[in-house]
Amino acid sequence: MLLTKDAFGKDFIWGVSTAAYQIEGAHDLDGKGPSIWDIFVQKRNKIFQNHKGDIACDFYNRYIDDLQLMHSLNIRNYRFSIAWSRILPNGIGEVNQSGIDFYNRLINLSLELGITPWVTLYHWDLPHNLEQKGGWTNRDIKDWFSQYVAICVTNFGDRVNHWMVLNEPTVFSAAGYFFGVHAPGKRGIDYFLAAAHHAALSQAEGARIIKSLRNNSIVGTTFSCSHVEPFTNREKDIIAAKKADVLLNRLFIEPLLGMGYPTDEIKALKRIEKYMKPNDEKELSFNMDFIGIQNYTREIIKHALFVPFLRAKIVTAKQRKVEMTAMNWEVYPASMYHVLKKFAAYPNIPPILVTENGAAFPDKVENGGVEDSRRLQYLQQIIQQVHRAKLEGVDVKGYFIWTFLDNFEWAEGYEPRFGLVHVDFQTQKRIVKSSGKWYADFLK
Ligand code: GAL
């Protein structure tokens, strides 16, 4: 039987998530400075078909219509991010009033429409000027980020109550500074470890600053996570899966909870200590009001002798010949249940919100509509899995769908579509998909 939202109780938070660079466009308008993504997309062959986020969904100019559309779909919680380089074109120093004005308009209209804003302070678009000083690999970023956070809270904190400090530090430190497949495109274990440590420090420090300026704020941060399983029951695969679990799930939550970095399983991770100062271990921890978890799939891991540092690799969904999304991720809704249980099992874990989940499928516009039955079914199955975890005692308080509009999907460009609303990137026309209509109905 299909669940209704009543099964979750009336305080359960239902919403949608987006991120600035993926939807706003207006990349150099009204004083905005370049971010690392503005620079990275200009390099050849980094992004699918060399797509760029220069215009994206043109949300910067169309936010009024888009918020009204969101409202018409009964969505009452909206998670979006602030583009740091719209507020501070150089990342530090002079404030760009037009940037402040834009987010004021966005926040005010949301509130007028009865939509609660949930603001992510950093969703991967570091100001380029700061990257030139080393970006996340430079310890000074803790201060740069703190100044930016303080400006946001001072300007918006009278109306914004819900904050998320970082979006998925694992992904931006690993994809951006180890694999080089995301901005800024750096590669190497030392870049990665430095970036990871400074992100973890900034995550706790950012939260402390929000609380010190607005004590009543509700503060969290978000983590990517995937249920991990070994490919076989051989000991080597089990060990490999444990290592992958450290990187995919444990690296940032454990220091935040005061447990320190999980360096036992992976020798190379110990090198992170090189970047630590005497008081850091304490400074890494903070008692958040909530933890945002973001889950899309599970990973099957096997031993791999030739993979440096990890000796582990993913057995892809393609290799396993299982059902996949347009991201080549396995369709595996039970992963949501498992990650919720896993995070809830930490002692002293704050309440959990699912701050992102969704699926990309190749949608087609036919007779003016988009019948995205696979996405719709996936979302329904996920909601069942959230409910299953809740019934077993997991303190899960909300669920946000990734995402409202089809948008710029980082290295994959505009190809994968995750939206509840279809976007024609030539005309900027929006069409609510069947999944969007279903969500509206569900939320009624
Ligand atoms: C998350 C990320 C989002 C979005 C989503 C789908 O990792 O926070 O920005 O891209 O994945 O891939």
Side-chain angles (χ1 to χ4, degrees), residues 12 37 51 92 104 123-124 137 145 176 181 237 265 278 344 370 428:
F12 199 83
W37 274 94
H51 289 170
I92 38 175
N104 272 332
H123 202 129
W124 304 358
T137 68
F145 184 66
V181 294
D237 286 345
E265 326 269 352
V370 179
Q428 292 294 343

Side-chain angles (χ1 to χ4, degrees), residues 22 123-124 167-168 294 296 329 356 402 409-410 418:
Q22 294 179 275
H123 202 129
W124 304 358
N167 183 73
E168 300 187 351
Q294 318 201 141
Y296 289 88
W329 296 340
E356 279 184 27
W402 184 270
E409 178 50 37
W410 309 113
F418 277 89

